[in-house]
Amino acid sequence: MTTLGGHASIRLDDSEVAPVRLAAGDIALVTGTGQYTISDDPSTGHQVTICGGRKYLPGGKLAADHWNLAPRTYGDGLPGATVMLRAAFELHSVVGDRLLALLPPPAVVPAGPRTGAALDLLAAEMSRDEPGQDAVLNRLLDLVLVLALRAWCAESATMPAWCRALGDAAIGEALRLLHAEPARRWTVAELATKVGLSRAAFAARFTALVGEPPITYLTAWRMTLAADLLRDTDETIAAVAHTAGYMDAFAFSAAFKRACGVSPSTWRHQAH
């Protein structure tokens, strides 16, 4: 969520974290499925609850029609009111979980020129109801989310090592190669040649910047991709193993269990 004008306070209802104040243009990234409260001040009582895309007044009654000011817009519309924009993403990806798990509750991205321009365009589109509107809004929301995550990573002291390593010419290129072709039978020597370093220099530099050796990182990345395939597709264990770079399903199953604590078939069953 973000405040487009005025200020707001956001409180996670099931957390001991203190309420966070948002100035105009700030973006709050809230992960998880817990309830949270948005207000002008933490002491302000509840006036409306949003659940399942509907607005309810205290007591459980649906909000009256006068709350709807425009398409996708509601409130009282009084002069000087704080304007907020809220969107929700349903993510079902172990790949995404690796990044989201690093975000504090909540992660606040201060207002800036790059996110501000995207928010202005999104706000202008929000109040319209024209052909193709959903496609436009979905892509603008994706843009705002990526810009916000990138801005947070650039300023955060807790940014993951692999993310910082992308800024290194040689190690960043090695990571891009691993991400692009995870099933390839990579060796440290081949990766070193690809990025123009000796084997020893590459291995030492990769480990120092990423926090683990190249093949250890590759194995973890393969297991992450495999977990998503097991949950989101009906591919056989053997097919998933091949996609993850294993010719032998038994070797893949053993590696997956070491990484995830359960067998591939158990993971698939639990995920569904």
Side-chain angles (χ1 to χ4, degrees), residues 42-192:
S43 62
T44 302
H46 283 77
Q47 297 180 7
V48 63
T49 298
I50 302 174
C51 182
R54 293 176 176 268
K55 296 86 179 179
Y56 297 89
L57 297 175
K61 293 184 178 180
L62 283 172
D65 291 341
H66 72 271
W67 281 76
N68 298 319
L69 303 178
R72 311 172 192 85
T73 307
Y74 63 95
D76 55 28
L78 296 176
T82 294
V83 179
M84 295 180 295
L85 188 154
R86 173 186 171 274
F89 290 80
E90 293 186 6
L91 301 179
H92 303 284
S93 169
V94 180
V95 174
D97 291 345
R98 295 183 68 178
L99 176 59
L100 295 182
L102 299 169
L103 297 177
V108 177
V109 179
R114 284 198 279 186
T115 55
L119 287 175
D120 289 343
L121 183 56
L122 180 58
E125 291 289 336
M126 283 291 295
S127 60
R128 298 174 183 170
D129 198 4
E130 300 175 349
Q133 199 70 29
D134 286 344
V136 173
L137 290 175
N138 288 339
R139 282 155 181 79
L140 285 175
L141 286 171
D142 289 344
L143 174 62
V144 170
L145 177 62
V146 171
L147 290 175
L149 286 171
R150 187 167 65 180
W152 181 83
C153 285
E155 300 296 331
S156 174
T158 60
M159 184 173 63
W162 60 264
C163 194
R164 291 193 298 271
L166 287 171
D168 181 88
I171 305 307
E173 177 61 20
L175 286 170
R176 282 184 280 273
L177 289 170
L178 294 176
H179 292 167
E181 298 183 78
R184 183 166 171 169
R185 300 179 69 83
W186 291 106
T187 65
V188 175
E190 183 182 11
L191 285 167

Side-chain angles (χ1 to χ4, degrees), residues 1 10 12 14-15 28-36 89 91 96-97 99-107 145 149:
M1 67 153 290
I10 180 169
L12 306 183
D14 56 354
S15 171
L29 301 172
V30 183
T31 60
T33 57
Q35 296 183 353
Y36 57 92
F89 290 80
L91 301 179
D97 291 345
L99 176 59
L100 295 182
L102 299 169
L103 297 177
L145 177 62
L149 286 171

